[in-house]
Amino acid sequence: AVVSTQSGHYGRDCNLLCLPENYQMKYYFYHGLSWPQLSYVAVDESGKICGYVLAKMEEEPDDIPHGHITSLAVKRSNRRLGLAKKLMDQASRAMVENFGAKYVSLHVRKSNRAALALYKTVLKFAVDDIEPKYYADGEDAYAMKKDLGNLLEQVETTREHLRCLGKRSHKNALEQRTPIKENGKLHIDTSKEEEEFEKKIGELNLSNVDPNICDNLCPGK
């Protein structure tokens, strides 16, 4: 299972086992406190942590909104099960849903052929640049990017269809409500309720929404 986490120590032990780059605890807490929606862990059937993804949003104010994968790790005994893809997909979706990310970036060692193959072939990242001596030992890094435009469009479409469904349900509820009388006219004031409804739709976490729901919500559109 892949679950969200706000606690840094969940990923630290897995990081120590799997990666040559290790971070201080305050760096995990920095991610957890700043972007609690974006980091996830994978747990096995016994509830033990077997993988994690540590992610954030880049903070350049004049840049296009985009996320960055700080670290991804899966224990060797749990590899080839699709966990890395699930973790990355979940983090990317959270970037889009919560921050409107247009793309996601990451760095990988030039010598890490296994990770490079995963990012290119399975996760559909593309090499954008080479950053010389990016790592502490002097090794170069591939800077990679993945466009999230299609995912952003899917999220907005799902939100629009949920909005459509909500308005239909709201209309049905209004038809059963007793109107109030003001200035000699009967009316029902729904402005505040509609504003609150739009806010809730905008904040909605779509991770658990059936991707096929859009086909059934607004058949008339």
Side-chain angles (χ1 to χ4, degrees), residues 16 24 39 47 70 89 99-100 117 121 130 159-160 177 203:
L16 291 171
Q24 295 182 1
S39 294
T70 301
D89 288 349
F99 300 102
T121 306
I130 297 176
R159 279 206 172 103
E160 180 58 33
R177 185 182 300 180
E203 296 174 348

Side-chain angles (χ1 to χ4, degrees), residues 9-25:
H9 70 277
Y10 286 132
R12 182 187 60 175
D13 293 342
C14 188
N15 176 272
L16 291 171
L17 286 172
C18 301
L19 297 175
E21 289 77 43
N22 304 127
Y23 309 110
Q24 295 182 1
M25 275 301 301

Side-chain angles (χ1 to χ4, degrees), residues 29-181:
F29 284 120
Y30 165 65
H31 281 69
L33 292 172
S34 301
W35 305 278
Q37 313 93 328
L38 303 185
S39 294
Y40 292 83
V41 295
V43 297
D44 60 21
E45 60 275 4
S46 65
K48 294 182 178 179
I49 304 298
C50 57
Y52 80 98
V53 61
L54 190 67
K56 65 177 184 175
M57 292 298 295
E58 293 291 15
E59 299 177 285
E60 295 88 347
D62 299 328
D63 205 353
I64 297 173
H66 68 281
H68 183 78
I69 302 298
T70 301
S71 183
L72 170 70
V74 176
K75 286 186 177 179
R76 190 175 298 276
S77 58
N78 297 88
R79 292 176 184 173
R80 298 186 180 278
L81 298 175
L83 293 178
K85 185 177 189 306
K86 290 180 179 179
L87 287 164
M88 291 286 279
D89 288 349
Q90 195 71 28
S92 297
R93 188 174 186 87
M95 292 174 186
V96 170
E97 290 180 2
N98 292 283
F99 300 102
K102 301 295 177 57
Y103 69 89
V104 57
S105 63
L106 57 81
H107 293 95
V108 61
R109 287 175 174 269
K110 290 185 67 175
S111 63
N112 194 341
R113 295 181 179 180
L116 189 59
L118 170 71
Y119 295 138
K120 278 186 172 182
T121 306
V122 179
L123 299 174
K124 308 304 179 184
F125 278 75
V127 174
D128 182 64
D129 198 0
I130 297 176
E131 298 196 18
K133 300 181 179 180
Y134 178 81
Y135 293 98
D137 60 5
E139 184 174 350
D140 296 347
Y142 286 118
M144 306 187 76
K145 288 184 179 181
K146 179 180 179 180
D147 182 74
L148 298 178
N150 289 338
L151 182 57
L152 182 60
E153 184 177 342
Q154 291 173 17
V155 167
E156 290 304 318
T157 298
T158 302
R159 279 206 172 103
E160 180 58 33
H161 285 3
L162 289 173
R163 186 178 290 110
C164 176
L165 177 66
K167 286 182 178 179
R168 276 208 322 237
S169 300
H170 188 54
K171 180 180 179 181
N172 293 336
L174 288 180
E175 290 174 351
Q176 303 177 30
R177 185 182 300 180
T178 302
I180 60 175
K181 191 169 185 179

